Structures are given as structure tokens and as C-alpha cells.
Amino acid sequence: MIDFTEAQIERYSRHIILPEVGAEGQSKLLESKVFMIGAGGLGSPVAYYLAAAGVGTIGIADADVVDSSNLQRQIIHNQDRIGMPKVESARETIQALNPDVKVNTYNYFVTEENIRDIIRDYDLVIDGCDNFPTRFLVNDACYMEKIPLISGAMFRFEGQVATFKPHQVKGAPCYRCLYPEPPPAGLVPSCSEAGILGALAGAVGTIQAVEAVKELLGIGDSLAGKLMVFDALRMEWKKLKLRKDPGCPLCGENPTITELVTYEQACELKFGD
């Protein structure tokens, strides 16, 4: 267990006094490594709260730069950083909040060639991307590397959060059990086309961060095998049960996907809108 400084005891005191966390749990967080896909709408609150919690290493992949249209929801950035790579902007914000946290930046797209080498150095992956090709790539890589994945998505006034770890929980599905293949390009409009409620990103991303801390500490009930759905207009949260698909092309009884697949447009779309 880490030998805490007096400053760290003060900083993390509200965690340490929780019986479910304690000094041992806080030490575990400081030794944990989380990899995030995207430093946008979902990545912003996730990164903020994981850094505040004292997660020791946070890796962030995003190939985009800060734009003024991002600032309505991507709270990790600010007006002075327009034009700056998002990963660098996120790093500055995180280190200003908590110097205990090491930030690894990946200012490029994850692809079938690099993602497995990257994520195998981390304990947990959080997906906050805004396109289906990347979402499927991340799911497949996490399954192959046996790393838990916390996935978040949002559209206009609705959001979803799920945890996928079929390698750890018997009968739990992977993302492909829900959606075997990405939808055709152009079928689902982007945030720039359909719009997005800015504060929705905070609601969904914060749930992802809570789930991440629980997974790292091994406490509470996991969202593995469940899907949290949030309707902001009706202010309703629903928890749906997910089932493993025996015919899933990735984790099913007779898998047909044994290598990573890069779908069309995977490298053309931005992360974490």
C-alpha cells in the first residue's frame, strides 16, 4: 500500500473514511491505469472525476483540436485553448486539478494496428467516442485483451452507459451481442447534425466515472449485463437487462471475428463529440 503524504491524506480524506474504499482502496486507485477514448463531451467529465478521485495514470486518445463549438459541453477545455490538441488541453486541466495523476496523451486515432498494444498497459478502458466504427474496434480489442470496457453514448436528449466484461462475468454480453455490425454510414446523424444537450454529457460521463471507480476498487454491483438508459426530457433512468448472444460473431459459441476489423470511416471521424 502507498505511504500517503499528509497532503494526500487531506485530499482523499472523503474517500478514506468510506469503509468500502479506505486507505487500501485509495492506494489501489493511485496505482490504477485507465485508458480513455476521446477527450470530448463524455471524456471531459470522466477525466475530471477520475483525476479528482486520484486514479494514478490516465491515458487519453483523441486526434482532434479544441473548437469553439465544443465548449457547450466539453468542459475540460476552455476559450483560451481553441486550436490546441484536445489531449494537451485535457492534460493541462487534469494536472492543474491533481498533480498526483500522470497523463499519457495519444494525439492520433486508435486503429487495428495500435489499439491492442496501447490498451494492454491499462486496467480499464472507457469509450467516449462518437462513431460506430471506433466503438466496435474498441469493443473487439478489449475482448481480445480481456480488459473491462465502460461504454457511454448520447444522442440529443438521451444517453446510455454499459459495462462489458464477458471474460470476467459468466453470461455477460459484449457490445456485439447488442449490435453485431455497425449501421450503414450516414444512417445515424452526428451531434453536429442532430444537436446534443450539453449537460447530458455530464450526466452520462459522470455515471461512467462512478462505474470506473467501482470497477477499479471491486465494489458494488457492476453494470456488466445491464444497460443504463437516461431520458433527460422525462428525467428518467432505466436499467435494462442484457443477454449474451450465443451467436455473437465475437464472443459467441462459434465466433467468426478472430482478428480486429477496421470499418470504413473509422479513421475519418472524430472522437468524443
Side-chain angles (χ1 to χ4, degrees):
M1 189 172 70
I2 290 176
D3 186 12
F4 294 105
T5 65
E6 290 187 9
Q8 287 176 319
I9 293 173
E10 175 65 21
R11 175 183 285 271
Y12 305 118
S13 61
R14 298 328 189 254
H15 269 176
I16 293 172
I17 63 175
L18 289 170
E20 296 85 353
V21 182
E24 184 176 351
Q26 187 59 54
S27 180
K28 184 181 292 187
L29 289 176
L30 286 164
E31 294 173 334
S32 294
K33 299 179 180 181
V34 173
F35 181 67
M36 296 174 44
I37 307 290
L42 295 177
S44 290
V46 172
Y48 248 137
Y49 273 107
L50 293 187
V55 171
T57 302
I58 299 176
I60 307 175
D62 199 311
D64 201 6
V65 299
V66 179
D67 182 85
S68 61
S69 66
N70 302 147
L71 303 181
Q72 167 253 13
R73 64 204 175 280
Q74 299 183 16
I75 60 172
I76 206 164
H77 312 300
N78 62 47
Q79 182 74 21
D80 294 337
R81 297 181 191 163
I82 290 176
M84 178 185 290
K86 285 185 178 179
V87 292
E88 291 303 320
S89 174
R91 180 185 59 78
E92 287 190 13
T93 300
I94 290 170
Q95 292 187 334
L97 173 64
N98 190 349
D100 285 343
V101 180
K102 177 184 178 182
V103 182
N104 297 327
T105 58
Y106 305 82
N107 190 24
Y108 49 80
F109 291 107
V110 292
T111 67
E112 64 181 43
E113 286 82 18
N114 63 27
I115 187 169
R116 293 185 68 176
D117 287 337
I118 295 172
I119 67 173
R120 64 172 55 115
D121 291 331
Y122 291 87
D123 305 308
L124 180 71
V125 174
I126 299 180
D127 181 13
C129 76
D130 69 344
N131 68 87
F132 287 102
T134 302
R135 196 173 297 277
F136 279 82
L137 177 67
V138 173
N139 172 75
D140 296 355
C142 286
Y143 177 77
M144 293 175 184
E145 293 296 328
K146 299 182 178 180
I147 298 174
L149 168 66
I150 298 175
S151 177
M154 54 184 182
F155 180 74
R156 301 190 71 229
F157 297 95
E158 298 181 358
Q160 299 180 353
V161 181
T163 296
F164 299 104
K165 49 177 187 178
H167 54 286
Q168 292 183 10
V169 179
K170 184 177 181 180
C174 76
Y175 186 76
R176 283 188 184 269
C177 291
L178 280 70
Y179 310 105
E181 299 287 339
L187 180 64
V188 180
S190 66
C191 290
S192 61
E193 297 168 328
I196 188 75
L197 183 68
L200 176 67
V204 176
T206 301
I207 294 297
Q208 285 183 278
V210 170
E211 185 70 359
V213 171
K214 287 167 50 194
E215 287 290 337
L216 294 172
L217 294 176
I219 62 174
D221 296 329
S222 172
L223 276 180
K226 305 176 184 67
L227 177 69
M228 291 289 294
V229 180
F230 180 49
D231 184 332
L233 289 180
R234 294 179 175 81
M235 198 51 68
E236 292 180 349
W237 282 99
K238 295 181 181 178
K239 185 187 293 185
L240 308 178
K241 187 173 183 179
L242 305 178
R243 298 186 182 278
K244 185 180 182 70
D245 179 9
C248 174
L250 180 68
C251 70
E253 297 174 357
N254 298 292
T256 57
I257 297 175
T258 56
E259 298 181 356
L260 292 181
V261 177
T262 298
Y263 291 97
E264 186 178 0
Q265 298 185 14
C267 297
E268 299 174 7
L269 300 176
K270 299 176 182 179
F271 291 146
D273 195 71

